[in-house]
Amino acid sequence: MQTLWDYRYAQRTQSMKGSAIRELLKFSERKEIISFAGGMPAPEIFPVDKFRKACDKALRENGAACLQYGSTDGYLPLREMIAHYATRYGINVTADNILPTSGSQQALDLIGRIFINPGDRIMVESPTYLGAIQAWNAYGAEYIPVPFDEHGMITGKLEDRLRAGIKFIYVLPNFQNPTGVTLSYERRLHLIELADKYGVPIIEDDPYGQLRYEGEHLPAVVVLDSQTRSQETCYSGNVIYLSTFSKTLAPGIRLAWVIAPTEVVQKLILAKQGTDLHTSTFNQIATHELAKGGFLNEHVKLIRKVYRERRDVMLDTLEEHMPQGIKWTHPKGGLFLWVTLPTDLDAKVIFNEALKKNVAFVPGAAFFAEGGGHNTLRLNFSNAKPEKINEGIGKLADVIKNHV
Amino acid sequence: MQTLWDYRYAQRTQSMKGSAIRELLKFSERKEIISFAGGMPAPEIFPVDKFRKACDKALRENGAACLQYGSTDGYLPLREMIAHYATRYGINVTADNILPTSGSQQALDLIGRIFINPGDRIMVESPTYLGAIQAWNAYGAEYIPVPFDEHGMITGKLEDRLRAGIKFIYVLPNFQNPTGVTLSYERRLHLIELADKYGVPIIEDDPYGQLRYEGEHLPAVVVLDSQTRSQETCYSGNVIYLSTFSKTLAPGIRLAWVIAPTEVVQKLILAKQGTDLHTSTFNQIATHELAKGGFLNEHVKLIRKVYRERRDVMLDTLEEHMPQGIKWTHPKGGLFLWVTLPTDLDAKVIFNEALKKNVAFVPGAAFFAEGGGHNTLRLNFSNAKPEKINEGIGKLADVIKNHV
């Protein structure tokens, strides 16, 4: 249909592209599909009943506040609770350092809005989280990719890049999306040392930190940065830390948070005002009601048990079925693992053939900010049940075998 | 605190300003304040119990879907319901023309994102809705203001301005925020005629359309535009129409919608993906559960009754107490009326003195995109109870009397 809007799009709109993943999710909603595509939690262990009771209590006791406009800053008891848990994890902050957001995607967007000028260079892991690239492309960001190995971002390759002028470094240290790889303790320290040397701040995105299935918890980059700077380990403010209720409670409520210096929080609040006024008061109050007694700490134990089993099934099945020449990562937590095919094999070809057998995944190229990765793919192991993982990986291996 | 972020803000961040209203809301949260400042619904008539039951049902019957990621497009049954009601009001659209957003503020932001290049000129009523200015300033918009009288935007003054190059026209035809004035039927037709003549599309923002307390419902601009173009009154696509559940259900759930040509909806979806992935699935499903049987049509009758009484109390009290030389509008619906002081009186002076007497309102200057309006102020009549309105207007009149 021809309308008066047709020739009126802004310049930035011409370059907007849909996320490959969001497009793929449409396939994966088909019932017959075994999907390793999205980053979806296992719906059968959502704490539906607990959340329902929390909503009920919030509305019975605090109904008018739940339904009324709230301040852009967010619901104070929620911010205090988040600050309390953060402090327990070694991030010594108060409620004034916390901004609740409508999912971490909004946090990424707001960060882009207040920090990124067109042409600014952001240092990212290669591959990196697609949602960050999508958010920051809107502000004209450019990307300086850093390659990874089984210990995460190769910090030995940082220094030349840091000297080339970087606005900030974006890192997902725990069970990275898409690779599943964890940044080692030594590299965390190295990253901090180099960031400090060149005066470059860091965005630490940590949606999966609590979903560890083996090995010891590693201190967050934000914690190590503060420890190296002060004896009291006050929050240094040089690392902005993002986390979310999407993986420990549920993504459908769209609730996440930013931890940042108070000055940055104030700027994010200004940006958020113009964007959506505030995050749902009801969702904030209900989530606080559910989480305040420590329920999520208990619930995360169930999530870990279920996802660990699924990860193990996927690793075992890959081991059993995949032909020689195919490599994959061994994530110690999170939702994803990363498969590397022989260099002459295109994951999109495999994708199309797998889809005919009702198996979906995400071809890896989408995760490379500056191109490449045609022979890689991301597999999610949290959403499908073990028997489906077994079946789906078997089918995927059959498709790949036809090509190697 | 000095941090590495200090000198890294983007250029656009330097010009970000907080909304005067959001700042004022902090005052008005103090219990002793009688607030005519915000645009807050009356919390005592929120349908808390009905909403609680809808949440309960949604989570019992559809819990996993409520808590899981959803598509950026929005929850299909909600979109279908909105399309159904829109069609009943003469906007003949399908679910593909509907995008649920996280409040109308997000709709304004996304529209800015896909349409506004820096320097683009938007025609706005003068004064106009502050949230639109705040959203579009982020994209570098400029504004061409059109003065109003008791019949709304003076369309006789449009033509010169339209010839000067306008990206789109932004209009709130019903019980406008901040003036409370309604665009007359004749001017609606005139607006459409001129917009068509110069090929300029329209954004129609209609949060209050259902809150009419006297007189006949006027057809929406989008409806008239379609009627003048086709015998079948198909949706012409030249008017993008915004509305919301904030005023008929509750603002705390952050749920509104855009009606637009499918091509525009697709672009808005792309923009929304990068911004917050999607609006809370839970809030969409629960709201659909509550609204699908027509409950809001019933509930709006109660809202109209309560707000009509409050409006009448405010008008009567103004009549009784205000000194000569003070004028105000007589809104036929909505939440606001608009007061004009003598030209030598500054509403900010009155504001500071009124606040000492625990009465708050919004000085009008904030609503003028291009300056002016220092002797104007906006009064909200939906939030305070009648006896408080009486008391507050009395105090406000006392303050003003000291100056005239």
Side-chain angles (χ1 to χ4, degrees), chain A residues 10 12 22 67 69-70 113 252, chain B residues 12 22 67 70 113 247 252:
Chain A
R12 77 181 72 77
R22 306 296 299 175
L67 297 185
Y69 282 113
R113 191 175 276 236
Chain B
R12 76 181 73 79
R22 306 297 298 174
L67 297 184
R113 191 175 277 237
K247 303 305 182 291

Side-chain angles (χ1 to χ4, degrees), chain B residues 201-359:
Chain B
I202 297 172
I203 308 276
E204 177 176 24
D205 194 354
D206 189 23
Y208 319 113
Q210 292 208 57
L211 306 185
R212 178 179 275 276
Y213 317 132
E214 62 177 77
E216 287 291 307
H217 172 77
L218 292 177
V221 173
V222 62
V223 172
L224 293 173
D225 184 68
S226 299
Q227 283 175 354
T228 59
R229 281 167 205 278
S230 115
Q231 290 197 306
E232 300 90 16
T233 67
C234 290
Y235 173 51
S236 73
N238 295 321
V239 181
I240 292 177
Y241 177 89
L242 313 183
S243 195
T244 177
F245 290 107
S246 287
K247 303 305 182 291
T248 55
L249 170 52
I253 52 166
R254 311 306 301 129
L255 193 56
W257 64 91
V258 182
I259 299 180
T262 51
E263 297 84 341
V264 174
V265 167
Q266 290 305 313
K267 293 278 197 288
L268 291 170
I269 289 170
L270 285 184
K272 185 169 163 63
Q273 260 186 29
T275 308
D276 71 354
L277 278 188
H278 65 87
T279 293
S280 165
T281 356
F282 173 48
N283 298 23
Q284 291 185 72
I285 294 176
T287 300
H288 175 253
E289 181 61 41
L290 180 66
K292 69 183 179 187
F295 165 71
L296 293 182
N297 291 333
E298 286 308 304
H299 181 60
V300 156
K301 293 177 188 167
L302 172 65
I303 298 177
R304 285 194 204 112
K305 180 171 166 290
V306 171
Y307 292 4
R308 181 192 297 122
E309 184 196 355
R310 293 181 184 193
R311 179 202 62 166
D312 291 345
V313 169
M314 187 171 277
L315 287 172
D316 291 349
T317 325
L318 284 165
E319 196 66 54
E320 186 181 342
H321 294 293
M322 279 292 166
Q324 276 211 320
I326 315 296
K327 291 177 198 159
W328 55 89
T329 58
H330 291 249
K332 293 182 173 160
L335 307 185
F336 305 107
L337 60 78
W338 184 250
V339 177
T340 307
L341 305 171
T343 45
D344 59 341
L345 206 51
D346 187 337
K348 281 187 187 147
V349 172
I350 304 297
F351 175 80
N352 288 326
E353 293 183 22
L355 201 61
K356 285 179 195 149
K357 299 191 173 214
N358 290 331
V359 176

Side-chain angles (χ1 to χ4, degrees), chain B residues 90-107:
Chain B
I91 315 172
N92 291 306
V93 291
T94 70
D96 291 339
N97 296 105
I98 312 289
L99 179 66
T101 56
S102 304
S104 274
Q105 188 66 36
Q106 185 182 50

Side-chain angles (χ1 to χ4, degrees), chain B residues 156-173:
Chain B
K157 301 200 173 185
L158 281 182
E159 197 145 6
D160 277 358
R161 291 170 168 85
L162 282 167
R163 293 171 72 91
I166 296 289
K167 194 64 171 270
F168 58 76
I169 302 166
Y170 174 63
V171 61
L172 295 99

Side-chain angles (χ1 to χ4, degrees), chain A residues 101-400:
Chain A
T101 56
S102 305
S104 275
Q105 187 66 36
Q106 185 182 49
L108 294 167
D109 176 52
L110 296 177
I111 285 168
R113 191 175 276 236
I114 71 167
F115 287 119
I116 300 177
N117 288 314
D120 274 357
R121 307 169 105 189
I122 316 299
M123 186 181 281
V124 296
E125 294 154 313
S126 179
T128 189
Y129 175 52
L130 187 57
I133 299 175
Q134 209 188 358
W136 297 338
N137 280 349
Y139 300 101
E142 294 181 6
Y143 305 95
I144 306 295
V146 184
F148 82 104
D149 64 18
E150 71 270 29
H151 304 296
M153 172 192 270
I154 302 171
T155 50
K157 302 199 173 185
L158 282 182
E159 198 144 5
D160 277 358
R161 290 171 169 85
L162 283 167
R163 294 171 72 91
I166 296 290
K167 194 65 171 268
F168 59 75
I169 301 166
Y170 174 64
V171 61
L172 295 99
N174 294 316
F175 330 122
Q176 196 239 19
N177 181 357
T179 63
V181 154
T182 295
L183 190 66
S184 70
Y185 184 75
E186 292 69 26
R187 288 199 184 163
R188 290 176 194 226
L189 291 177
H190 195 204
L191 169 65
I192 289 163
E193 181 194 323
L194 291 173
D196 183 50
K197 180 171 171 188
Y198 291 101
V200 178
I202 297 172
I203 308 275
E204 177 175 25
D205 193 355
D206 190 23
Y208 319 113
Q210 292 208 55
L211 306 185
R212 179 178 274 275
Y213 317 132
E214 63 177 76
E216 287 291 308
H217 172 77
L218 292 178
V221 173
V222 62
V223 172
L224 293 172
D225 183 68
S226 299
Q227 284 175 354
T228 58
R229 280 166 205 279
S230 117
Q231 288 197 309
E232 300 89 16
T233 65
C234 290
Y235 174 50
S236 73
N238 295 321
V239 180
I240 292 177
Y241 177 89
L242 313 182
S243 195
T244 177
F245 290 106
S246 287
K247 303 306 184 291
T248 55
L249 170 51
I253 52 166
R254 310 307 299 132
L255 192 56
W257 65 90
V258 182
I259 299 179
T262 52
E263 295 84 342
V264 173
V265 168
Q266 290 305 313
K267 292 277 196 289
L268 291 170
I269 288 171
L270 284 185
K272 184 170 163 63
Q273 260 186 29
T275 309
D276 70 354
L277 278 188
H278 65 85
T279 293
S280 166
T281 355
F282 172 49
N283 297 24
Q284 291 185 71
I285 295 176
T287 300
H288 174 253
E289 181 60 44
L290 180 67
K292 69 183 180 186
F295 165 71
L296 292 181
N297 290 333
E298 286 308 303
H299 181 60
V300 155
K301 291 177 188 166
L302 171 65
I303 298 176
R304 285 194 203 111
K305 179 170 166 292
V306 170
Y307 292 3
R308 180 192 297 120
E309 184 196 355
R310 292 179 185 194
R311 178 201 63 166
D312 290 345
V313 169
M314 188 173 275
L315 286 171
D316 289 350
T317 324
L318 284 165
E319 194 67 54
E320 187 180 341
H321 294 293
M322 279 292 165
Q324 276 212 321
I326 314 296
K327 291 178 197 159
W328 54 90
T329 59
H330 292 248
K332 292 180 174 164
L335 308 185
F336 304 108
L337 61 77
W338 185 249
V339 178
T340 307
L341 306 172
T343 45
D344 59 342
L345 206 48
D346 187 337
K348 283 188 186 146
V349 173
I350 304 298
F351 175 80
N352 289 326
E353 292 184 23
L355 200 60
K356 285 180 196 150
K357 297 191 173 212
N358 290 331
V359 176
F361 59 83
V362 184
F367 300 97
F368 289 84
E370 301 286 304
H374 297 289
N375 61 323
T376 60
L377 55 100
R378 189 189 76 173
L379 297 179
N380 165 271
F381 53 77
S382 62
N383 189 246
K385 291 181 179 170
E387 60 275 18
K388 288 288 174 186
I389 293 177
N390 206 324
E391 182 187 340
I393 294 295
K395 287 180 173 178
L396 179 60
D398 288 343
V399 170
I400 292 174

